[in-house]
mmCIF file of all heavy atoms in Angstrom:
data_model
loop_
_atom_site.group_PDB
_atom_site.id
_atom_site.type_symbol
_atom_site.label_atom_id
_atom_site.label_comp_id
_atom_site.label_asym_id
_atom_site.label_seq_id
_atom_site.Cartn_x
_atom_site.Cartn_y
_atom_site.Cartn_z
ATOM 1 N N LEU A 1 125.269 2.611 93.344
ATOM 2 C CA LEU A 1 124.601 3.857 93.729
ATOM 3 C C LEU A 1 125.395 5.025 93.199
ATOM 4 O O LEU A 1 126.563 5.183 93.489
ATOM 5 C CB LEU A 1 124.490 3.952 95.256
ATOM 6 C CG LEU A 1 123.878 5.227 95.815
ATOM 7 C CD1 LEU A 1 122.440 5.358 95.314
ATOM 8 C CD2 LEU A 1 123.911 5.229 97.332
ATOM 9 N N SER A 2 124.746 5.828 92.373
ATOM 10 C CA SER A 2 125.412 7.002 91.796
ATOM 11 C C SER A 2 124.385 8.063 91.522
ATOM 12 O O SER A 2 123.259 7.770 91.152
ATOM 13 C CB SER A 2 126.116 6.623 90.492
ATOM 14 O OG SER A 2 126.655 7.771 89.889
ATOM 15 N N THR A 3 124.724 9.325 91.717
ATOM 16 C CA THR A 3 123.813 10.425 91.399
ATOM 17 C C THR A 3 124.567 11.510 90.686
ATOM 18 O O THR A 3 125.765 11.693 90.876
ATOM 19 C CB THR A 3 123.162 11.032 92.661
ATOM 20 O OG1 THR A 3 124.163 11.701 93.401
ATOM 21 C CG2 THR A 3 122.497 9.970 93.522
ATOM 22 N N GLY A 4 123.847 12.314 89.871
ATOM 23 C CA GLY A 4 124.457 13.431 89.169
ATOM 24 C C GLY A 4 124.097 14.756 89.792
ATOM 25 O O GLY A 4 124.437 15.798 89.281
ATOM 26 N N SER A 5 123.378 14.749 90.919
ATOM 27 C CA SER A 5 122.892 15.991 91.530
ATOM 28 C C SER A 5 123.973 16.662 92.336
ATOM 29 O O SER A 5 124.771 16.009 93.010
ATOM 30 C CB SER A 5 121.697 15.695 92.434
ATOM 31 O OG SER A 5 121.391 16.806 93.220
ATOM 32 N N CYS A 6 123.995 18.010 92.291
ATOM 33 C CA CYS A 6 124.938 18.742 93.130
ATOM 34 C C CYS A 6 124.570 18.551 94.593
ATOM 35 O O CYS A 6 125.424 18.615 95.467
ATOM 36 C CB CYS A 6 124.939 20.228 92.778
ATOM 37 S SG CYS A 6 123.476 21.125 93.275
ATOM 38 N N LEU A 7 123.286 18.297 94.868
ATOM 39 C CA LEU A 7 122.861 18.089 96.247
ATOM 40 C C LEU A 7 123.397 16.784 96.791
ATOM 41 O O LEU A 7 123.491 16.606 98.013
ATOM 42 C CB LEU A 7 121.319 18.087 96.328
ATOM 43 C CG LEU A 7 120.629 19.366 95.937
ATOM 44 C CD1 LEU A 7 119.118 19.203 96.071
ATOM 45 C CD2 LEU A 7 121.098 20.521 96.777
ATOM 46 N N SER A 8 123.765 15.833 95.914
ATOM 47 C CA SER A 8 124.224 14.535 96.373
ATOM 48 C C SER A 8 125.568 14.608 97.062
ATOM 49 O O SER A 8 126.017 13.626 97.640
ATOM 50 C CB SER A 8 124.286 13.568 95.195
ATOM 51 O OG SER A 8 125.292 13.979 94.288
ATOM 52 N N ARG A 9 126.226 15.752 96.980
ATOM 53 C CA ARG A 9 127.501 15.894 97.666
ATOM 54 C C ARG A 9 127.321 15.917 99.174
ATOM 55 O O ARG A 9 128.259 15.721 99.928
ATOM 56 C CB ARG A 9 128.207 17.179 97.200
ATOM 57 C CG ARG A 9 128.458 17.218 95.686
ATOM 58 C CD ARG A 9 129.299 18.414 95.291
ATOM 59 N NE ARG A 9 129.335 18.542 93.842
ATOM 60 C CZ ARG A 9 128.789 19.529 93.189
ATOM 61 N NH1 ARG A 9 128.160 20.484 93.830
ATOM 62 N NH2 ARG A 9 128.865 19.600 91.880
ATOM 63 N N ARG A 10 126.141 16.206 99.628
ATOM 64 C CA ARG A 10 125.856 16.181 101.057
ATOM 65 C C ARG A 10 125.678 14.743 101.519
ATOM 66 O O ARG A 10 125.319 13.873 100.755
ATOM 67 C CB ARG A 10 124.572 16.956 101.365
ATOM 68 C CG ARG A 10 124.721 18.444 101.233
ATOM 69 C CD ARG A 10 123.376 19.097 101.490
ATOM 70 N NE ARG A 10 123.553 20.518 101.715
ATOM 71 C CZ ARG A 10 123.782 21.057 102.890
ATOM 72 N NH1 ARG A 10 123.855 20.314 103.946
ATOM 73 N NH2 ARG A 10 123.939 22.363 103.011
ATOM 74 N N ARG A 11 125.881 14.501 102.791
ATOM 75 C CA ARG A 11 125.588 13.191 103.329
ATOM 76 C C ARG A 11 124.091 12.941 103.268
ATOM 77 O O ARG A 11 123.288 13.852 103.367
ATOM 78 C CB ARG A 11 126.071 13.106 104.779
ATOM 79 C CG ARG A 11 127.585 13.193 104.925
ATOM 80 C CD ARG A 11 127.998 13.185 106.368
ATOM 81 N NE ARG A 11 127.371 14.300 107.093
ATOM 82 C CZ ARG A 11 127.477 14.459 108.411
ATOM 83 N NH1 ARG A 11 128.139 13.598 109.116
ATOM 84 N NH2 ARG A 11 126.890 15.491 108.998
ATOM 85 N N ILE A 12 123.713 11.660 103.173
ATOM 86 C CA ILE A 12 122.299 11.326 103.044
ATOM 87 C C ILE A 12 121.512 11.836 104.245
ATOM 88 O O ILE A 12 120.400 12.333 104.111
ATOM 89 C CB ILE A 12 122.127 9.800 102.894
ATOM 90 C CG1 ILE A 12 122.715 9.350 101.557
ATOM 91 C CG2 ILE A 12 120.663 9.391 102.985
ATOM 92 C CD1 ILE A 12 122.687 7.859 101.341
ATOM 93 N N SER A 13 122.106 11.751 105.436
ATOM 94 C CA SER A 13 121.401 12.215 106.633
ATOM 95 C C SER A 13 121.151 13.720 106.573
ATOM 96 O O SER A 13 120.091 14.204 106.971
ATOM 97 C CB SER A 13 122.214 11.879 107.891
ATOM 98 O OG SER A 13 123.496 12.481 107.829
ATOM 99 N N ASP A 14 122.120 14.462 106.040
ATOM 100 C CA ASP A 14 121.953 15.906 105.912
ATOM 101 C C ASP A 14 120.869 16.234 104.892
ATOM 102 O O ASP A 14 120.083 17.158 105.071
ATOM 103 C CB ASP A 14 123.272 16.568 105.480
ATOM 104 C CG ASP A 14 124.319 16.545 106.573
ATOM 105 O OD1 ASP A 14 123.934 16.368 107.740
ATOM 106 O OD2 ASP A 14 125.508 16.689 106.264
ATOM 107 N N LEU A 15 120.835 15.449 103.802
ATOM 108 C CA LEU A 15 119.813 15.661 102.784
ATOM 109 C C LEU A 15 118.420 15.454 103.344
ATOM 110 O O LEU A 15 117.492 16.199 103.043
ATOM 111 C CB LEU A 15 120.038 14.696 101.620
ATOM 112 C CG LEU A 15 120.983 15.166 100.511
ATOM 113 C CD1 LEU A 15 121.229 14.028 99.533
ATOM 114 C CD2 LEU A 15 120.419 16.352 99.800
ATOM 115 N N ALA A 16 118.280 14.424 104.170
ATOM 116 C CA ALA A 16 116.972 14.130 104.747
ATOM 117 C C ALA A 16 116.503 15.273 105.625
ATOM 118 O O ALA A 16 115.346 15.689 105.587
ATOM 119 C CB ALA A 16 117.035 12.829 105.543
ATOM 120 N N LYS A 17 117.422 15.819 106.419
ATOM 121 C CA LYS A 17 117.075 16.936 107.288
ATOM 122 C C LYS A 17 116.718 18.169 106.460
ATOM 123 O O LYS A 17 115.772 18.889 106.769
ATOM 124 C CB LYS A 17 118.244 17.255 108.225
ATOM 125 C CG LYS A 17 118.526 16.172 109.256
ATOM 126 C CD LYS A 17 119.743 16.529 110.087
ATOM 127 C CE LYS A 17 120.080 15.421 111.072
ATOM 128 N NZ LYS A 17 121.311 15.739 111.845
ATOM 129 N N LEU A 18 117.492 18.400 105.402
ATOM 130 C CA LEU A 18 117.261 19.576 104.572
ATOM 131 C C LEU A 18 115.914 19.484 103.856
ATOM 132 O O LEU A 18 115.157 20.454 103.823
ATOM 133 C CB LEU A 18 118.393 19.700 103.544
ATOM 134 C CG LEU A 18 118.367 20.923 102.628
ATOM 135 C CD1 LEU A 18 118.502 22.188 103.448
ATOM 136 C CD2 LEU A 18 119.483 20.838 101.604
ATOM 137 N N SER A 19 115.601 18.314 103.312
ATOM 138 C CA SER A 19 114.358 18.162 102.568
ATOM 139 C C SER A 19 113.139 18.317 103.457
ATOM 140 O O SER A 19 112.043 18.600 102.978
ATOM 141 C CB SER A 19 114.315 16.801 101.869
ATOM 142 O OG SER A 19 114.324 15.757 102.834
ATOM 143 N N ALA A 20 113.322 18.131 104.756
ATOM 144 C CA ALA A 20 112.200 18.280 105.682
ATOM 145 C C ALA A 20 111.849 19.744 105.916
ATOM 146 O O ALA A 20 110.777 20.055 106.433
ATOM 147 C CB ALA A 20 112.533 17.608 107.014
ATOM 148 N N LEU A 21 112.741 20.645 105.531
ATOM 149 C CA LEU A 21 112.541 22.073 105.795
ATOM 150 C C LEU A 21 112.524 22.929 104.529
ATOM 151 O O LEU A 21 112.035 24.058 104.560
ATOM 152 C CB LEU A 21 113.650 22.588 106.723
ATOM 153 C CG LEU A 21 113.770 21.924 108.089
ATOM 154 C CD1 LEU A 21 115.026 22.406 108.798
ATOM 155 C CD2 LEU A 21 112.539 22.207 108.936
ATOM 156 N N VAL A 22 113.075 22.398 103.446
ATOM 157 C CA VAL A 22 113.268 23.193 102.227
ATOM 158 C C VAL A 22 112.469 22.608 101.069
ATOM 159 O O VAL A 22 112.499 21.397 100.824
ATOM 160 C CB VAL A 22 114.768 23.248 101.850
ATOM 161 C CG1 VAL A 22 114.965 24.042 100.564
ATOM 162 C CG2 VAL A 22 115.580 23.851 102.989
ATOM 163 N N ASP A 23 111.748 23.477 100.368
ATOM 164 C CA ASP A 23 111.025 23.080 99.159
ATOM 165 C C ASP A 23 111.741 23.675 97.953
ATOM 166 O O ASP A 23 111.858 24.897 97.841
ATOM 167 C CB ASP A 23 109.582 23.595 99.178
ATOM 168 C CG ASP A 23 108.759 22.993 100.306
ATOM 169 O OD1 ASP A 23 109.023 21.830 100.663
ATOM 170 O OD2 ASP A 23 107.875 23.696 100.832
ATOM 171 N N ILE A 24 112.223 22.811 97.064
ATOM 172 C CA ILE A 24 112.880 23.279 95.848
ATOM 173 C C ILE A 24 111.899 23.130 94.699
ATOM 174 O O ILE A 24 111.415 22.035 94.419
ATOM 175 C CB ILE A 24 114.170 22.485 95.566
ATOM 176 C CG1 ILE A 24 115.134 22.601 96.762
ATOM 177 C CG2 ILE A 24 114.843 22.997 94.294
ATOM 178 C CD1 ILE A 24 116.430 21.836 96.584
ATOM 179 N N LYS A 25 111.599 24.228 94.044
ATOM 180 C CA LYS A 25 110.661 24.230 92.933
ATOM 181 C C LYS A 25 111.132 23.250 91.856
ATOM 182 O O LYS A 25 112.338 23.188 91.563
ATOM 183 C CB LYS A 25 110.580 25.652 92.363
ATOM 184 C CG LYS A 25 109.490 25.883 91.342
ATOM 185 C CD LYS A 25 109.482 27.349 90.918
ATOM 186 C CE LYS A 25 108.404 27.653 89.891
ATOM 187 N NZ LYS A 25 108.442 29.076 89.464
ATOM 188 N N PRO A 26 110.227 22.456 91.268
ATOM 189 C CA PRO A 26 110.641 21.459 90.268
ATOM 190 C C PRO A 26 111.546 22.001 89.175
ATOM 191 O O PRO A 26 112.545 21.363 88.802
ATOM 192 C CB PRO A 26 109.301 20.979 89.705
ATOM 193 C CG PRO A 26 108.350 21.135 90.841
ATOM 194 C CD PRO A 26 108.790 22.389 91.553
ATOM 195 N N GLU A 27 111.233 23.183 88.651
ATOM 196 C CA GLU A 27 112.061 23.800 87.611
ATOM 197 C C GLU A 27 113.494 23.998 88.099
ATOM 198 O O GLU A 27 114.466 23.740 87.374
ATOM 199 C CB GLU A 27 111.452 25.145 87.217
ATOM 200 C CG GLU A 27 112.298 25.979 86.272
ATOM 201 C CD GLU A 27 111.802 27.410 86.138
ATOM 202 O OE1 GLU A 27 111.092 27.902 87.046
ATOM 203 O OE2 GLU A 27 112.122 28.038 85.113
ATOM 204 N N VAL A 28 113.629 24.441 89.350
ATOM 205 C CA VAL A 28 114.952 24.686 89.920
ATOM 206 C C VAL A 28 115.651 23.369 90.248
ATOM 207 O O VAL A 28 116.850 23.204 90.016
ATOM 208 C CB VAL A 28 114.836 25.568 91.184
ATOM 209 C CG1 VAL A 28 116.204 25.778 91.818
ATOM 210 C CG2 VAL A 28 114.189 26.909 90.839
ATOM 211 N N ARG A 29 114.902 22.417 90.794
ATOM 212 C CA ARG A 29 115.486 21.121 91.135
ATOM 213 C C ARG A 29 116.072 20.441 89.894
ATOM 214 O O ARG A 29 117.158 19.869 89.935
ATOM 215 C CB ARG A 29 114.428 20.218 91.778
ATOM 216 C CG ARG A 29 114.956 18.847 92.211
ATOM 217 C CD ARG A 29 113.867 18.011 92.845
ATOM 218 N NE ARG A 29 113.432 18.567 94.109
ATOM 219 C CZ ARG A 29 114.056 18.378 95.262
ATOM 220 N NH1 ARG A 29 115.172 17.652 95.287
ATOM 221 N NH2 ARG A 29 113.603 18.912 96.373
ATOM 222 N N GLU A 30 115.334 20.508 88.798
ATOM 223 C CA GLU A 30 115.814 19.890 87.562
ATOM 224 C C GLU A 30 117.084 20.586 87.078
ATOM 225 O O GLU A 30 118.031 19.935 86.617
ATOM 226 C CB GLU A 30 114.717 19.973 86.493
ATOM 227 C CG GLU A 30 115.090 19.346 85.153
ATOM 228 C CD GLU A 30 115.221 17.836 85.206
ATOM 229 O OE1 GLU A 30 114.939 17.237 86.264
ATOM 230 O OE2 GLU A 30 115.619 17.246 84.181
ATOM 231 N N ALA A 31 117.116 21.911 87.181
ATOM 232 C CA ALA A 31 118.312 22.643 86.761
ATOM 233 C C ALA A 31 119.499 22.310 87.664
ATOM 234 O O ALA A 31 120.626 22.151 87.185
ATOM 235 C CB ALA A 31 118.040 24.146 86.780
ATOM 236 N N LEU A 32 119.269 22.192 88.963
ATOM 237 C CA LEU A 32 120.350 21.847 89.885
ATOM 238 C C LEU A 32 120.879 20.443 89.601
ATOM 239 O O LEU A 32 122.062 20.168 89.781
ATOM 240 C CB LEU A 32 119.857 21.933 91.332
ATOM 241 C CG LEU A 32 119.641 23.343 91.893
ATOM 242 C CD1 LEU A 32 119.009 23.282 93.271
ATOM 243 C CD2 LEU A 32 120.943 24.128 91.942
ATOM 244 N N ARG A 33 120.000 19.558 89.154
ATOM 245 C CA ARG A 33 120.422 18.195 88.839
ATOM 246 C C ARG A 33 121.250 18.156 87.557
ATOM 247 O O ARG A 33 122.265 17.466 87.484
ATOM 248 C CB ARG A 33 119.194 17.288 88.692
ATOM 249 C CG ARG A 33 119.530 15.814 88.483
ATOM 250 C CD ARG A 33 118.274 14.965 88.347
ATOM 251 N NE ARG A 33 117.627 15.179 87.067
ATOM 252 C CZ ARG A 33 117.987 14.577 85.936
ATOM 253 N NH1 ARG A 33 119.012 13.746 85.927
ATOM 254 N NH2 ARG A 33 117.339 14.808 84.813
ATOM 255 N N LYS A 34 120.828 18.909 86.554
ATOM 256 C CA LYS A 34 121.495 18.864 85.260
ATOM 257 C C LYS A 34 122.670 19.830 85.164
ATOM 258 O O LYS A 34 123.737 19.475 84.660
ATOM 259 C CB LYS A 34 120.492 19.189 84.149
ATOM 260 C CG LYS A 34 119.461 18.103 83.897
ATOM 261 C CD LYS A 34 118.581 18.489 82.710
ATOM 262 C CE LYS A 34 117.601 17.376 82.372
ATOM 263 N NZ LYS A 34 116.749 17.739 81.202
ATOM 264 N N ALA A 35 122.454 21.062 85.582
ATOM 265 C CA ALA A 35 123.482 22.103 85.414
ATOM 266 C C ALA A 35 123.291 23.175 86.474
ATOM 267 O O ALA A 35 122.657 24.201 86.222
ATOM 268 C CB ALA A 35 123.394 22.697 84.014
ATOM 269 N N PRO A 36 123.809 22.951 87.677
ATOM 270 C CA PRO A 36 123.606 23.918 88.760
ATOM 271 C C PRO A 36 124.135 25.312 88.459
ATOM 272 O O PRO A 36 123.680 26.296 89.040
ATOM 273 C CB PRO A 36 124.350 23.281 89.944
ATOM 274 C CG PRO A 36 125.289 22.289 89.329
ATOM 275 C CD PRO A 36 124.605 21.788 88.101
ATOM 276 N N GLN A 37 125.101 25.392 87.522
ATOM 277 C CA GLN A 37 125.645 26.705 87.174
ATOM 278 C C GLN A 37 124.616 27.615 86.528
ATOM 279 O O GLN A 37 124.786 28.831 86.475
ATOM 280 C CB GLN A 37 126.834 26.549 86.216
ATOM 281 C CG GLN A 37 127.890 25.558 86.664
ATOM 282 C CD GLN A 37 127.649 24.176 86.083
ATOM 283 O OE1 GLN A 37 126.520 23.784 85.845
ATOM 284 N NE2 GLN A 37 128.729 23.430 85.878
ATOM 285 N N SER A 38 123.538 27.025 85.995
ATOM 286 C CA SER A 38 122.559 27.813 85.244
ATOM 287 C C SER A 38 121.520 28.499 86.121
ATOM 288 O O SER A 38 120.681 29.235 85.621
ATOM 289 C CB SER A 38 121.829 26.903 84.239
ATOM 290 O OG SER A 38 121.026 25.943 84.927
ATOM 291 N N VAL A 39 121.567 28.269 87.426
ATOM 292 C CA VAL A 39 120.554 28.814 88.329
ATOM 293 C C VAL A 39 121.006 30.161 88.897
ATOM 294 O O VAL A 39 122.154 30.311 89.321
ATOM 295 C CB VAL A 39 120.256 27.838 89.484
ATOM 296 C CG1 VAL A 39 119.165 28.399 90.391
ATOM 297 C CG2 VAL A 39 119.819 26.481 88.933
ATOM 298 N N VAL A 40 120.085 31.132 88.912
ATOM 299 C CA VAL A 40 120.364 32.455 89.488
ATOM 300 C C VAL A 40 119.437 32.664 90.681
ATOM 301 O O VAL A 40 118.210 32.662 90.536
ATOM 302 C CB VAL A 40 120.142 33.578 88.452
ATOM 303 C CG1 VAL A 40 120.335 34.957 89.102
ATOM 304 C CG2 VAL A 40 121.097 33.409 87.277
ATOM 305 N N ALA A 41 120.018 32.833 91.850
ATOM 306 C CA ALA A 41 119.228 33.099 93.052
ATOM 307 C C ALA A 41 118.774 34.555 93.066
ATOM 308 O O ALA A 41 119.488 35.449 92.593
ATOM 309 C CB ALA A 41 120.050 32.797 94.304
ATOM 310 N N LEU A 42 117.576 34.791 93.612
ATOM 311 C CA LEU A 42 117.020 36.137 93.754
ATOM 312 C C LEU A 42 116.502 36.292 95.171
ATOM 313 O O LEU A 42 115.880 35.374 95.712
ATOM 314 C CB LEU A 42 115.878 36.350 92.752
ATOM 315 C CG LEU A 42 116.224 36.129 91.267
ATOM 316 C CD1 LEU A 42 114.951 36.053 90.435
ATOM 317 C CD2 LEU A 42 117.135 37.235 90.754
ATOM 318 N N GLU A 43 116.744 37.424 95.772
ATOM 319 C CA GLU A 43 116.286 37.630 97.141
ATOM 320 C C GLU A 43 114.816 38.043 97.160
ATOM 321 O O GLU A 43 114.241 38.412 96.131
ATOM 322 C CB GLU A 43 117.133 38.695 97.830
ATOM 323 C CG GLU A 43 116.980 40.085 97.237
ATOM 324 C CD GLU A 43 117.323 41.187 98.222
ATOM 325 O OE1 GLU A 43 116.519 41.405 99.146
ATOM 326 O OE2 GLU A 43 118.381 41.825 98.050
ATOM 327 N N SER A 44 114.209 38.000 98.349
ATOM 328 C CA SER A 44 112.792 38.342 98.452
ATOM 329 C C SER A 44 112.495 39.512 99.388
ATOM 330 O O SER A 44 111.360 39.980 99.447
ATOM 331 C CB SER A 44 111.987 37.119 98.914
ATOM 332 O OG SER A 44 112.549 36.560 100.097
ATOM 333 N N THR A 45 113.506 40.017 100.093
ATOM 334 C CA THR A 45 113.232 41.169 100.950
ATOM 335 C C THR A 45 112.901 42.410 100.119
ATOM 336 O O THR A 45 112.236 43.331 100.598
ATOM 337 C CB THR A 45 114.414 41.454 101.898
ATOM 338 O OG1 THR A 45 113.995 42.345 102.929
ATOM 339 C CG2 THR A 45 115.576 42.076 101.157
#
């Protein structure tokens, strides 16, 4: 069992809880898997 995702650093139980509440856009999810440094967060307020 091995993953390259930055999200994989969390425990599996934490990931399950997070995925139940958070939707990560496919474009962003792919970037986080390959190169999380390339993602720029933007606020919505």
Side-chain angles (χ1 to χ4, degrees):
L1 177 62
S2 175
T3 69
S5 168
C6 72
L7 297 180
S8 67
R9 302 187 189 113
R10 288 177 165 271
R11 294 177 302 174
I12 293 176
S13 59
D14 290 341
L15 272 173
K17 292 177 183 177
L18 183 63
S19 63
L21 301 172
V22 179
D23 296 328
I24 302 179
K25 189 177 180 182
E27 173 192 22
V28 178
R29 182 180 293 278
E30 181 69 5
L32 287 174
R33 185 180 73 82
K34 289 184 176 181
Q37 310 94 329
S38 67
V39 182
V40 176
L42 304 167
E43 66 156 287
S44 52
T45 194

